[in-house]
Amino acid sequence: MTRRTVIGVIGPGDDASAAEREAARRVGQLVAAAGWVTLTGGWNAGVMDAASRGAREAGGLTVGLLPGRDAEGASPGVEVVIPTGLGEARNNLVVLASDALVCCGMSAGTASEAALALRAGKPLVLVAPAQETAAFLRSLRRGEPIAVADAEAAIVALKRLLEPS
Amino acid sequence: MTRRTVIGVIGPGDDASAAEREAARRVGQLVAAAGWVTLTGGWNAGVMDAASRGAREAGGLTVGLLPGRDAEGASPGVEVVIPTGLGEARNNLVVLASDALVCCGMSAGTASEAALALRAGKPLVLVAPAQETAAFLRSLRRGEPIAVADAEAAIVALKRLLEPS
Amino acid sequence: MTRRTVIGVIGPGDDASAAEREAARRVGQLVAAAGWVTLTGGWNAGVMDAASRGAREAGGLTVGLLPGRDAEGASPGVEVVIPTGLGEARNNLVVLASDALVCCGMSAGTASEAALALRAGKPLVLVAPAQETAAFLRSLRRGEPIAVADAEAAIVALKRLLEPS
Amino acid sequence: MTRRTVIGVIGPGDDASAAEREAARRVGQLVAAAGWVTLTGGWNAGVMDAASRGAREAGGLTVGLLPGRDAEGASPGVEVVIPTGLGEARNNLVVLASDALVCCGMSAGTASEAALALRAGKPLVLVAPAQETAAFLRSLRRGEPIAVADAEAAIVALKRLLEPS
């Protein structure tokens, strides 16, 4: 069995803050160092771009599920570009293709992915979430998003979830 | 031009409360009375079922976009059953196919639809939302969900949005 | 149970011949007269447009599953416009949402729908197919496309399939 | 720019002949040897399985876009398993994600992918096609499927298409 563990990294595109981008870059680096594949929405912006570049810097494999029908707008950090042609319906694929997801920052698109992750019962780790984000996602009750302070803590949480001793 | 106005009604399935089901039934009735089409996720449960039945009681047209690949599990209130075979990716179709959406209650699936509605810039009316729901959706900033007290107020809000004088 | 029977009408868009458009218009009229819903890919061109207009002329309900994310390009004959935002992936929805399909003419997109119909085991009626179309679709062995000479014969075939005495 | 070239390999699942499986295995080996990624529908059967195993044997990267919502049924030859949850609508993703496609054998699902490839203007190479397959696909006129005798000739054709000198 050659199947590799895939970690989805989700978060805002153009509206991502510098801190969110930096957290995503660090998550990508650590996911790669753990030997996992980094999966994002593929876009050349914000958290998707930062996570992909971070993973590549650390020699990791990166996959991007783009909303469009071709590779236009893909992050240069994405090795395997998968144009889905599905628009925002691709958000559910980001969720299903991930063994667990890490969320850096929030936006409407990101919120749909976080909600779908809970719906699908996928482990979801929130890095430094805003108070209303944590309160809302916890109120959904299905699944239990884990809130952590930074990228390093996110990886510790993922290892606990995915490699139970 | 024969195109009809379509109102999406979203909310929990099996976990819907009696009050949420009743609000959804009433929304369906009033949507039908306004001459609009009622669109739901099609399921024979909770808000989807109640809205479809309400609309049918009032002689309205009902459309259901099901997650499965056949009509199994469709609400008997749905006249035009559209099995999408897309699983939860169909949530984005519920949003895109609606001119505006009314949300009665909350769940992980519903949250994904509400977030995708904001993402797509679709008018979203929340009926009696919980405080953390309203706070979170407003924090997403794209679009501005409107909170109302009941089904009647939701229809007033829809008429203002869709039929500006 | 209020669920209505849905007939998908598939065929070329801009490249449809006058004869194919006329057959599609007549199929739409007869589908409507039979009390069935006419479903198409929704586009304002070729067979999709002709079938939708024909059905409307006869007072039938028409549904269009568009590839785009809004109603742009929808046939004026479509009453319930469902923008899927899926691009050509919506072809599988046209198939799944239909109780049976009628095919007038051929194109690459149409071929994908005909093949998916056979894949899904949906009854498929070919109106005046080219010889290589009939030969190929029959070679796929799953399902058995029925070839007929004209719209009237297509409706006879549909009635036999859907309303077995 | 780290984006890698992706070759889709399509063909029947359970109904694939021994010759079709052998051709697919050889295509996978040669795609991997060329430094390209092998993409399939991911299934543990027929051409998809054979191509993935062949590519892995040669040290290549393999990606599978599965119809289901989890990894069940994935070929052990697939390294990056992407459960799409889209059913047969995922066929369009196999096409969009491929820079070019190689087709070994035919089935209803395969026919939909070949037709969608022509629709999308993707290069399509048919390995030892049946006469009615070649005749039909050529009649669709958009794009021009290339017919070759074996896996080696398929790779020669791909190199000419993708690495024009």
Side-chain angles (χ1 to χ4, degrees), chain A residues 5-118:
Chain A
T5 295
V6 175
I7 305 298
V9 186
I10 60 176
D14 289 327
D15 297 334
S17 70
E20 288 158 1
R21 291 179 59 93
E22 177 53 26
R25 193 181 66 86
R26 189 76 185 123
V27 168
Q29 289 176 334
L30 295 169
V31 164
W36 299 328
V37 176
T38 300
L39 178 87
T40 70
W43 219 248
N44 187 15
V47 162
M48 294 170 272
D49 181 53
S52 303
R53 289 175 188 260
R56 287 297 297 152
E57 285 164 21
L61 178 61
T62 51
V63 177
L65 290 166
L66 271 87
R69 48 175 280 124
D70 57 35
E72 202 185 316
S75 164
V78 176
E79 255 188 295
V80 180
V81 173
I82 301 185
T84 65
L86 299 174
E88 295 300 309
R90 76 84 154 76
N91 295 3
N92 198 47
L93 276 69
V94 170
V95 167
L96 295 182
S98 299
D99 293 293
L101 295 104
V102 179
C103 179
C104 305
M106 188 48 58
S107 68
T110 307
S112 73
E113 291 170 320
L116 290 166
L118 297 178

Side-chain angles (χ1 to χ4, degrees), chain B residues 37-55:
Chain B
V37 177
T38 300
L39 178 89
T40 71
W43 219 248
N44 187 16
V47 162
M48 292 170 274
D49 182 52
S52 303
R53 289 175 189 260

Side-chain angles (χ1 to χ4, degrees), chain C residues 10-30:
Chain C
I10 60 176
D14 289 328
D15 296 334
S17 70
E20 288 158 0
R21 291 179 58 93
E22 178 52 27
R25 194 181 66 86
R26 188 79 184 122
V27 168
Q29 289 176 334
L30 295 169

Side-chain angles (χ1 to χ4, degrees), chain B residues 1-137:
Chain B
M1 196 58 162
T2 54
R3 190 187 166 202
R4 296 186 57 187
T5 295
V6 176
I7 306 298
V9 186
I10 61 176
D14 289 327
D15 297 334
S17 70
E20 288 158 0
R21 292 178 58 93
E22 178 53 26
R25 194 182 64 86
R26 189 76 184 123
V27 168
Q29 289 176 334
L30 295 169
V31 164
W36 300 327
V37 177
T38 300
L39 178 89
T40 71
W43 219 248
N44 187 16
V47 162
M48 292 170 274
D49 182 52
S52 303
R53 289 175 189 260
R56 287 296 298 151
E57 285 163 22
L61 178 62
T62 51
V63 177
L65 291 166
L66 272 88
R69 47 174 283 123
D70 57 35
E72 202 186 316
S75 164
V78 176
E79 254 188 297
V80 180
V81 173
I82 301 184
T84 66
L86 299 174
E88 296 299 309
R90 74 86 152 77
N91 295 3
N92 198 46
L93 277 69
V94 170
V95 167
L96 295 182
S98 299
D99 292 294
L101 295 105
V102 179
C103 179
C104 304
M106 189 45 61
S107 69
T110 307
S112 74
E113 292 170 319
L116 289 166
L118 296 179
R119 180 80 170 85
K122 297 276 183 175
L124 174 64
V125 178
L126 309 171
V127 178
Q131 190 262 328
E132 68 265 19
T133 295
F136 176 69
L137 293 178

